[in-house]
């Protein structure tokens, strides 16, 4: 297995001092289709998989719930879309527990949460936008939000972004 590229949306929030309680960590992992089973197997040798048949479960759901040695829930999300691969490529190394961990830039969790229809995700997006509105990479984020807004026929994606960036 090659070194896994990862993004950690919740960890990005913590590292950037955004106060938000989380009970799990989500990591996005890219595995080439021909390496999928080997990647799942390698991950299972490092962490405890929760499903009885991790390869089948991850293959069907694109998510592999696992537990760390400290009992922390970890949801590994197997990326499949070009936008997810871009998110991984844009991630930047941060020190976490004395180890480098690739963490998503703040713009990527924002668009991921804005396309959700879950109130908690939309609230998270609002908080991230407000917290980082002065330093957001708008040249990257605004065209992406425009495209997503049109693709999902959801004007609220742009409305939320604009409302939060225009607040005093």
């Amino acid at each position: 297995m090659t070194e896994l590229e990862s993004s950690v949306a919740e960890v990005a929030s913590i590292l950037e001092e955004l106060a938000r309680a989380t009970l799990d960590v989500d990591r996005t992992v890219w595995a080439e289709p021909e390496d999928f089973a080997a990647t799942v197997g390698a991950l299972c040798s490092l962490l405890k998989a929760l499903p009885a048949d991790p390869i089948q479960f991850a293959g069907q759901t694109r998510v592999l719930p696992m537990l760390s040695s400290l009992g922390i829930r970890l949801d590994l999300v197997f990326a499949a879309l070009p936008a997810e691969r871009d998110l991984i490529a844009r991630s930047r190394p941060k020190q976490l527990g004395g180890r480098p961990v690739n963490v998503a830039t703040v713009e990527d969790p924002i668009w991921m949460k804005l396309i959700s229809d879950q109130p908690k995700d939309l609230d998270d997006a609002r908080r991230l936008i407000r917290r980082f509105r002065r330093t957001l990479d708008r040249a990257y984020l605004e065209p992406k939000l425009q495209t997503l807004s049109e693709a999902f026929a959801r004007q609220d994606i742009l409305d939320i972004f604009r409302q939060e960036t225009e607040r005093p």
Side-chain angles (χ1 to χ4, degrees), residues 90-115:
R90 286 177 40 83
S91 67
R92 300 291 173 252
K94 301 272 186 170
Q95 289 294 315
L96 184 65
R99 296 180 183 204
V101 175
N102 282 355
V103 177
T105 62
V106 72
E107 294 83 8
D108 291 308
I110 288 171
W111 70 256
M112 290 177 67
K113 289 179 177 293
L114 282 173
I115 63 173

Side-chain angles (χ1 to χ4, degrees), residues 77-153:
V77 179
F78 288 90
L81 302 173
E84 293 170 308
R85 189 173 205 158
D86 292 346
L87 178 150
I88 293 168
R90 286 177 40 83
S91 67
R92 300 291 173 252
K94 301 272 186 170
Q95 289 294 315
L96 184 65
R99 296 180 183 204
V101 175
N102 282 355
V103 177
T105 62
V106 72
E107 294 83 8
D108 291 308
I110 288 171
W111 70 256
M112 290 177 67
K113 289 179 177 293
L114 282 173
I115 63 173
S116 171
D117 61 0
Q118 298 299 309
K120 186 174 184 355
D121 287 333
L122 294 174
D123 184 55
D124 288 346
R126 288 177 184 278
R127 296 165 122 216
L128 287 167
I129 296 165
R130 281 194 303 265
R131 170 70 171 84
F132 298 102
R133 71 176 170 257
R134 288 179 178 75
T135 58
L136 290 173
D137 181 353
R138 290 178 185 232
Y140 165 75
L141 187 57
E142 289 187 67
K144 182 171 280 296
L145 293 177
Q146 179 69 45
T147 299
L148 292 168
S149 181
E150 292 168 6
F152 288 101

Side-chain angles (χ1 to χ4, degrees), residues 56-69:
Q56 180 183 8
F57 187 89
Q60 290 175 342
T61 65
R62 305 297 298 170
V63 176
L64 181 57
M66 305 188 91
L67 283 179
S68 76
S69 60

Side-chain angles (χ1 to χ4, degrees), residues 154-167:
R154 287 193 40 215
Q155 181 62 37
D156 66 304
I157 291 171
L158 280 171
D159 291 344
I160 291 169
F161 179 75
R162 290 179 178 141
Q163 288 167 2
E164 297 303 330
T165 55
E166 293 169 4
R167 290 179 93 166

